[in-house]
């Protein structure tokens, strides 16, 4: 039992790290600058760990049939992705990814092309990658026993607690920043009145107002590293609580870091 527990936990962390690495490289190339992805501060994305471990163990009897493996993995991983998106929105009022522009999507949470990719990726993992990784993990299990997975679980537990605390403070900060932006926009609109000002200048005037009034800067929160990372790592993040576009909140966050 201890051996199985150790192997499962180590598989979870390995695939969580591989998933984080994949997302970080992909999003960095797409954004043309380094993007530190992941919900947690550590270099893991747990949804990948849960998804792959689920495929390896829950549908193990069907893995010899490559077609059945593809479809069952597709269904399992898609269900996990949908559930994760749903829980993030209900618990944290956040949407971290949005597939509404992808064809054949369901509420923007999952999409058929993405699910096909996950199904193919799982076939590759089960048939090609996992046999080599298992040899490595069995070696770790024989050398470190249960201590390595327990240490990793403890570190991740602290990371999760730290992340949730920062996420709560980020929500409060974003609400305050959004309220300030809306207030300044309203003030600018009133001040400009009937003046014929270019649309772009009108949109940016709220930021100029804040720049020129130090007392406003002092009232606004400065985000710490984890809060800024979370805000910047998910360009498609949405929140029903926030009235201002997240692009404006990111812009204001950068301005508040300046001395």
């Amino acid at each position: 039992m201890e051996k199985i527990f150790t192997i499962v936990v180590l598989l979870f962390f390995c695939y969580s790290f591989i998933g984080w690495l994949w997302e970080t490289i992909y999003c960095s190339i797409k954004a043309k600058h380094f993007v530190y992805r992941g919900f947690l501060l550590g270099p893991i994305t747990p949804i990948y760990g849960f998804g792959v471990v689920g495929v390896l163990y829950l549908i193990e009897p069907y893995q010899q049939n490559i077609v059945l493996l593809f479809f069952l993995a597709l269904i399992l991983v898609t269900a996990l992705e949908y559930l994760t998106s749903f829980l993030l929105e209900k618990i944290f009022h956040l949407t971290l990814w949005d597939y509404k522009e992808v064809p054949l999507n369901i509420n923007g949470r999952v999409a058929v092309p993405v699910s096909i990719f996950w199904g193919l990726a799982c076939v590759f993992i089960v048939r090609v990658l996992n046999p080599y990784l298992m040899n490595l993990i069995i070696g770790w299990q024989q050398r470190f026993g249960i201590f390595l997975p327990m240490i990793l679980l403890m570190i991740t537990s602290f990371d999760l607690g730290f992340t949730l605390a920062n996420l709560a403070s980020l929500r409060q900060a974003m609400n305050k920043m959004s309220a300030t932006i809306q207030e300044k926009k309203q003030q600018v609109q009133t001040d400009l009145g009937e003046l014929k000002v270019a649309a772009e200048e009108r949109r940016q005037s709220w930021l100029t107002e804040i720049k020129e009034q130090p007392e406003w800067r002092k009232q606004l929160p400065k985000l710490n590293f984890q809060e800024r990372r979370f805000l910047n790592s998910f360009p498609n993040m949405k929140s029903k609580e926030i009235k201002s576009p997240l692009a404006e909140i990111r812009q204001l966050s950068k301005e508040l870091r300046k001395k």
Side-chain angles (χ1 to χ4, degrees):
M1 188 66 180
E2 179 182 313
K3 180 180 179 180
I4 296 176
F5 172 80
T6 300
I7 291 175
V8 169
V9 172
L10 291 178
L11 279 172
F12 166 80
F13 278 102
C14 283
Y15 285 112
S16 294
F17 172 73
I18 292 172
W20 172 87
L21 192 62
W22 150 252
E23 279 204 359
T24 297
I25 293 173
Y26 173 78
C27 293
S28 296
I29 293 174
K30 188 176 180 180
K32 297 181 180 179
H33 62 83
F34 179 72
V35 177
Y36 191 102
R37 290 287 288 185
F39 183 79
L40 300 176
L41 181 59
I44 61 170
T45 304
I47 188 173
Y48 288 92
F50 285 119
V52 175
V53 169
V55 169
L56 291 174
Y57 287 93
L58 295 180
I59 60 176
E60 183 179 7
Y62 311 101
Q63 291 177 3
Q64 298 306 314
N65 185 325
I66 193 169
V67 176
L68 200 55
L69 169 61
F70 168 77
F71 281 106
L72 289 177
L74 182 152
I75 293 170
L76 179 63
V77 175
T78 300
L80 177 62
E81 187 174 28
Y82 191 97
L83 178 62
T84 302
S85 175
F86 177 81
L87 291 177
L88 283 171
E89 184 175 328
K90 294 303 178 182
I91 297 174
F92 301 111
H93 307 286
L94 288 174
T95 300
L96 298 186
W97 63 85
D98 189 352
Y99 295 139
K100 288 183 179 178
E101 296 184 0
V102 180
L104 303 175
N105 71 83
I106 302 176
N107 300 325
R109 303 184 193 279
V110 296
V112 171
V114 178
S115 297
I116 291 174
F117 170 78
W118 296 138
L120 293 173
C122 287
V123 171
F124 171 79
I125 288 171
V126 172
R127 290 298 186 90
V128 180
L129 178 60
N130 197 65
Y132 292 99
L133 190 58
M134 278 296 295
N135 291 330
L136 182 64
I137 286 178
I138 289 174
W140 291 345
Q141 184 271 328
Q142 293 173 346
R143 183 173 182 181
F144 302 107
I146 199 172
F147 295 104
L148 180 57
M150 292 303 295
I151 291 172
L152 291 173
L153 288 172
M154 288 174 61
I155 293 173
T156 303
S157 297
F158 284 116
D159 191 348
L160 178 61
F162 177 75
T163 299
L164 292 178
N166 278 272
L167 187 57
S169 63
L170 175 61
R171 284 176 57 191
Q172 294 177 355
M174 288 171 60
N175 278 317
K176 190 169 184 178
M177 293 164 76
S178 175
T180 299
I181 292 172
Q182 294 302 312
E183 184 177 345
K184 278 300 176 184
K185 282 184 175 180
Q186 184 64 38
Q187 180 181 330
V188 167
Q189 185 176 359
T190 302
D191 292 344
L192 289 177
E194 298 179 357
L195 293 177
K196 295 181 179 180
V197 181
E200 181 61 26
E201 185 179 347
R202 188 183 290 267
R203 283 195 295 267
Q204 296 297 325
S205 295
W206 64 268
L207 185 58
T208 303
E209 287 287 318
I210 294 176
K211 287 180 181 179
E212 295 176 351
Q213 298 180 18
E215 65 276 9
W216 278 88
R217 294 172 63 96
K218 293 179 181 178
Q219 295 174 10
L220 293 170
K222 290 185 179 181
L223 305 183
N224 61 32
F225 170 79
Q226 176 70 332
E227 293 168 339
R228 293 196 308 271
R229 184 196 69 80
F230 199 86
L231 183 63
N232 295 324
S233 294
F234 297 94
N236 296 322
M237 181 173 64
K238 298 179 181 178
S239 174
K240 293 182 179 179
E241 298 178 322
I242 309 299
K243 295 182 179 180
S244 301
L246 285 182
E248 293 181 347
I249 293 178
R250 293 187 183 100
Q251 190 177 7
L252 179 55
S253 174
K254 291 180 180 179
E255 178 61 31
L256 292 174
R257 291 186 63 196
K258 300 177 182 178
K259 294 184 179 179

